[in-house]
């Protein structure tokens, strides 16, 4: 079971840029295909297939990846791109690795004496997922394994690079961050006035300078007449629940599911998304009156939220 | 042989020796496959089987059944619940497609925690 989570830190955008880049170029097997390694494999697996023994032995096809392994002396064939991707994930706290998928196709048998070469590409990097093991990113690579220039097999491999459950990841830079902070708003020149209002405990709605239409959230132009002229009006703070959802999954470190997310219709007529507080998540109802208040989430962040039962 | 045919199950005791021997035979020296202390530090209760060993066991299960002439063409597996020492994995298989000499088998390996492995194997049988 896994769920996709938003990228609060922009890490995924960095990771996704590695899709399509080489994971290994011109790799060579540390040993040619050989009978001792085949025999040790068959002993471990309890595999007595006659094709894997004797003078005309072939290697068990499922050994395909084994011929490409770095062993104790490590991989010397990985690309700079793959090393960078791993370092990014390590730096973000996703230091543990578990393999999840292996898809192999065997095109020709490998025999003792065959020298192995391989090339691999980073096929995909997933958005952040939360699994039973912990939170992390799936990385899928696809490898072509050759001998004497002939394609012997293909090998698609997926790993999860993750931070073990209960141990939250660090930020993208590797710096420590308290686990339970809500995402930071993105403040830019189009919405800075809104956040200045919040800081002063005023919920400001934009009003078109030409047609006087109210709009929320903040935008540079009027959706009704296209005008770029505007001023603001302060919301009275009264509103009703226009619609809502209850978030159960996925959990995000700063939030404690289940909780209600409301679409609040302000008395002025515009709607905004916010938390509904002061009432259990399962008692939120459409049409419920709510009243604005400001929630101090932490020392840097205040947010407008709506308290149920609002008319006072 | 027809789609829907079931292969006899194969019970594989998951010993510490099997996990370590499989990891070393596949040249996988990740500590979680041989060092219980370091595996625990990474949030796992004990060492666990590596994917290459599971792949090898799934391949063996199929060729054991289809006999000395059988040749593996494709093995695609997904891992779920880990194979820890002391557990038993029971491999089962169901034929899903037969096309001449080529047979597709859906494989499940279940242990005490759930499905360790699910996957599909394409095998060419006795020509």
């Amino acid at each position: 079971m896994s769920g996709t989570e938003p990228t609060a830190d922009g890490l995924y955008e960095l990771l996704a840029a590695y899709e399509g880049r080489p994971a290994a170029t011109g790799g060579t097997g540390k040993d040619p295909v050989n009978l001792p390694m085949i025999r040790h494999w068959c002993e471990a697996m309890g595999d007595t297939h006659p094709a894997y023994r004797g003078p005309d032995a072939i290697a068990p096809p499922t050994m395909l990846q084994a011929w490409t392994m770095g062993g104790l002396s490590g991989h010397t064939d990985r690309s700079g791109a793959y090393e960078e991707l791993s370092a990014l994930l390590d730096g973000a706290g996703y230091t543990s690795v578990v393999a999840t998928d292996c898809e192999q196709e065997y095109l020709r048998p490998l025999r003792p004496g065959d020298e192995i070469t391989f090339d691999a590409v980073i096929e995909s990097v997933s958005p952040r997922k939360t699994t039973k093991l912990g939170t992390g990113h799936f990385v899928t690579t696809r490898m072509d394994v050759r001998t004497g220039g002939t394609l012997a097999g293909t090998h698609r491999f997926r790993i999860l690079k993750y931070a073990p459950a209960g141990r939250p990841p660090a930020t993208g830079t590797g710096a420590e961050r308290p686990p339970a902070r809500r995402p930071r708003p993105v403040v830019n020149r189009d919405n800075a006035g809104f956040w200045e209002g919040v800081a002063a405990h005023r919920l400001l709605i934009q009003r078109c300078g030409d047609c006087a239409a109210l709009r929320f959230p903040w935008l540079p132009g009027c959706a009704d007449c296209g005008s770029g002229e505007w001023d603001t009006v302060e919301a009275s703070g009264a509103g009703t629940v226009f619609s809502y959802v209850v978030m159960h999954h996925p959990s995000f470190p700063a939030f404690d599911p289940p909780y209600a997310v409301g679409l609040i219709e302000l008395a002025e007529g515009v709607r905004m998304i916010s938390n509904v507080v002061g009432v259990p998540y399962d008692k939120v109802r459409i049409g419920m009156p709510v009243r604005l208040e400001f929630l101090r989430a932490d020392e840097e962040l205040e947010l407008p939220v709506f308290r149920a039962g609002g008319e006072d | 042989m027809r789609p829907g045919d079931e292969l006899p199950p194969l019970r594989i005791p998951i010993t510490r020796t099997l996990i370590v021997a499989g990891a070393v035979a596949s040249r996988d020296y990740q500590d979680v496959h041989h060092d219980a202390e370091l595996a625990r530090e990474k949030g796992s209760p004990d060492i666990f089987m590596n994917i290459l060993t599971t792949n090898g066991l799934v391949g063996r299960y199929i060729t054991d059944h289809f006999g000395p002439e059988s040749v593996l063409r494709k093995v695609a597996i997904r891992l779920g619940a880990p194979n820890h020492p002391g557990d038993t994995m029971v491999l089962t298989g169901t034929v899903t497609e037969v096309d001449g000499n080529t047979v597709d088998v859906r494989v499940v390996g279940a242990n005490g925690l759930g499905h360790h492995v699910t996957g599909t194997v394409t095998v060419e049988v006795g020509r």
Side-chain angles (χ1 to χ4, degrees), chain A residues 5 63 65 69 105 144 188 235 238 244 255 297:
Chain A
E5 295 180 9
M63 279 188 85
Q65 186 186 4
M69 294 290 279
E105 188 164 1
D144 287 338
N188 56 38
Y244 67 96
F255 298 92

Side-chain angles (χ1 to χ4, degrees), chain A residues 139-182:
Chain A
V139 178
T140 307
T141 53
R142 184 181 181 282
M143 180 185 280
D144 287 338
V145 180
R146 292 185 167 80
T147 182
T150 307
L151 192 60
T154 60
H155 169 61
R156 181 178 281 117
F157 200 62
R158 187 167 299 125
I159 60 164
L160 174 66
K161 280 278 279 176
Y162 69 102
R167 212 181 306 169
T171 60
T173 58
E176 284 303 312
R177 186 172 68 171
R181 304 231 305 181
R182 294 173 72 126

Side-chain angles (χ1 to χ4, degrees), chain A residues 224-303:
Chain A
D224 286 353
C225 73
S227 169
E229 300 298 316
W230 55 270
D231 64 358
T232 61
V233 293
E234 183 178 351
S236 70
T240 54
V241 175
F242 185 81
S243 186
Y244 67 96
V245 294
V246 175
M247 285 297 292
H248 295 270
H249 186 83
S251 63
F252 183 82
F255 298 92
D256 185 21
Y259 55 90
V261 178
L263 179 62
I264 308 302
E265 185 163 277
L266 300 180
E268 290 73 16
V270 296
R271 295 174 195 150
M272 70 180 284
I273 292 169
S274 182
N275 287 122
V276 180
V277 301
V279 60
Y281 69 91
D282 56 353
K283 297 285 188 264
V284 175
R285 292 290 178 271
I286 288 170
M288 179 178 265
V290 292
R291 176 134 212 111
L292 172 70
E293 67 178 42
F294 289 88
L295 169 74
R296 176 158 286 285
D298 54 57
E299 68 279 7
E300 288 168 7
L301 183 64
E302 273 197 286
L303 294 167

Side-chain angles (χ1 to χ4, degrees), chain A residues 78-193:
Chain A
R78 282 184 173 161
S79 71
Y82 193 84
E83 299 292 351
E84 282 170 36
L85 175 62
S86 297
L88 267 177
L89 287 161
D90 286 339
Y94 305 121
T95 51
S96 295
V97 180
V98 64
T100 61
D101 294 77
C102 174
E103 298 169 22
Q104 298 182 333
E105 188 164 1
Y106 313 114
L107 303 172
R108 58 146 285 182
L110 291 171
R111 299 177 186 281
D114 284 346
E115 299 278 355
I116 299 292
T117 58
F118 54 93
D119 296 279
V121 65
I122 300 165
E123 200 172 65
S124 65
V125 184
S126 80
R128 184 166 58 190
K129 304 275 185 176
T130 295
T131 73
K132 270 186 191 164
L133 281 170
T135 296
H137 294 266
F138 290 93
V139 178
T140 307
T141 53
R142 184 181 181 282
M143 180 185 280
D144 287 338
V145 180
R146 292 185 167 80
T147 182
T150 307
L151 192 60
T154 60
H155 169 61
R156 181 178 281 117
F157 200 62
R158 187 167 299 125
I159 60 164
L160 174 66
K161 280 278 279 176
Y162 69 102
R167 212 181 306 169
T171 60
T173 58
E176 284 303 312
R177 186 172 68 171
R181 304 231 305 181
R182 294 173 72 126
R184 307 293 96 177
V186 176
V187 181
N188 56 38
R189 65 183 176 184
D190 294 329
N191 67 10

Side-chain angles (χ1 to χ4, degrees), chain A residues 195-208:
Chain A
W195 291 104
E196 285 162 18
V198 169
H201 286 196
R202 301 171 70 214
L203 180 61
L204 297 179
I205 302 166
Q206 273 179 311
R207 176 171 58 192
C208 177

Side-chain angles (χ1 to χ4, degrees), chain A residues 30-31 37 40-41 44-52 61-63 65-66 69-73 96-108 157-158 162 164 167, chain B residues 18 21-22 25-30 32 40-43 48 50-60 63-64 67-80:
Chain A
K30 293 203 169 185
D31 297 291
M37 281 175 64
H40 298 167
W41 172 281
M45 304 303 158
D47 197 330
T48 57
H49 197 303
Y52 310 152
T62 49
M63 279 188 85
Q65 186 186 4
M69 294 290 279
L72 270 181
S73 51
S96 295
V97 180
V98 64
T100 61
D101 294 77
C102 174
E103 298 169 22
Q104 298 182 333
E105 188 164 1
Y106 313 114
L107 303 172
R108 58 146 285 182
F157 200 62
R158 187 167 299 125
Y162 69 102
R167 212 181 306 169
Chain B
L18 171 59
S26 57
R27 296 191 41 75
D28 183 347
Y29 291 89
Q30 294 282 337
V32 289
R40 277 192 288 272
E41 270 179 31
K42 295 195 162 98
F48 56 91
N50 72 338
I51 194 167
L52 290 88
T53 301
T54 303
N55 207 41
L57 292 172
V58 167
R60 171 199 152 190
T63 52
D64 274 3
E69 300 300 313
S70 58
V71 180
L72 296 172
R73 291 297 174 210
K74 282 185 205 172
V75 177
I77 59 169
R78 167 163 293 182
L79 296 194

